[in-house]
Amino acid sequence: MKNAFNKKDTTEFISRIEKLSSTSKPNWGKMSVEKMLAHCNVTYEKIYDNIHPKPNAFKKLLLKLFVKNAVVNEKPYKKNGQTAPEFIIKNSRNFDIEKNRLIDYINKTQQLGENYFEGKESHSFGILTKQEWNNMLSKHLDHHLTQFGV
């Protein structure tokens, strides 16, 4: 698995993103390329921007019990898996804006480094290790970039 905190690996992610165009089509799923980029940005918005409401205690407990392991382990996501409602992008988006936002978030994460993330609280899952953060970030990016053939 790639490392979201390693410069070489983040450069590879960014190189893959740069291969996308506004006309890129998915190999599976229904998302357009700009919505996929916006979808990937939601993970980072939850880390860096205070624009998504946090789940209440009951929902957070359910997420920790039933969703967390699938998100933070090293097992790749399956094609056409279920997406959490807050990650579904319903309105139109600008390809270039979403692409640049994602690249900026990837760079920021790499520059902050793994020590910043060790023991950091997740929006939905509570305290995570740096490895859990890495798994969540890296496999999500890899899944969607592979979805679009890059």
Side-chain angles (χ1 to χ4, degrees), residues 16-147:
R16 291 169 70 188
I17 292 166
E18 293 288 359
K19 291 177 183 174
L20 295 168
S21 74
S22 62
T23 59
S24 295
K25 301 291 182 211
N27 292 322
W28 73 84
K30 301 174 188 172
M31 272 192 261
S32 64
V33 67
E34 67 275 4
K35 286 186 178 185
M36 176 275 288
L37 294 167
H39 166 87
C40 289
N41 281 327
V42 172
T43 302
Y44 294 96
E45 291 169 354
K46 289 183 174 202
I47 297 169
Y48 300 118
D49 307 324
N50 190 20
I51 61 174
H52 297 279
K54 290 191 176 188
N56 64 35
F58 180 68
K59 183 175 179 181
K60 196 168 189 173
L61 176 65
L62 292 176
L63 289 169
K64 286 170 79 171
L65 290 173
F66 299 108
V67 179
K68 177 183 173 184
N69 187 54
V71 171
V72 302
N73 69 26
E74 292 187 16
K75 186 177 178 185
Y77 293 126
K78 295 177 184 176
K79 295 177 183 177
N80 296 311
Q82 189 171 2
T83 301
E86 61 267 26
F87 283 82
I88 297 171
I89 307 300
K90 295 177 182 168
N91 55 347
S92 63
R93 298 297 177 98
N94 178 285
F95 171 80
D96 291 317
I97 290 171
E98 297 302 331
K99 180 177 95 169
N100 291 330
R101 288 179 66 225
L102 184 56
I103 290 169
D104 288 346
Y105 282 134
I106 291 167
N107 282 325
K108 180 176 184 173
T109 300
Q110 186 274 316
Q111 290 163 4
L112 286 170
E114 62 186 17
N115 290 335
Y116 175 83
F117 285 87
E118 180 62 44
K120 181 173 176 53
E121 185 169 359
S122 155
H123 189 272
S124 302
F125 303 127
I127 301 294
L128 299 179
T129 67
K130 62 186 175 187
Q131 187 63 51
E132 290 172 323
W133 278 107
N134 176 66
N135 293 350
M136 178 172 64
L137 295 169
S138 293
K139 83 176 185 179
H140 190 235
L141 277 174
D142 184 64
H143 173 79
H144 287 293
L145 293 174
T146 301
Q147 176 187 16

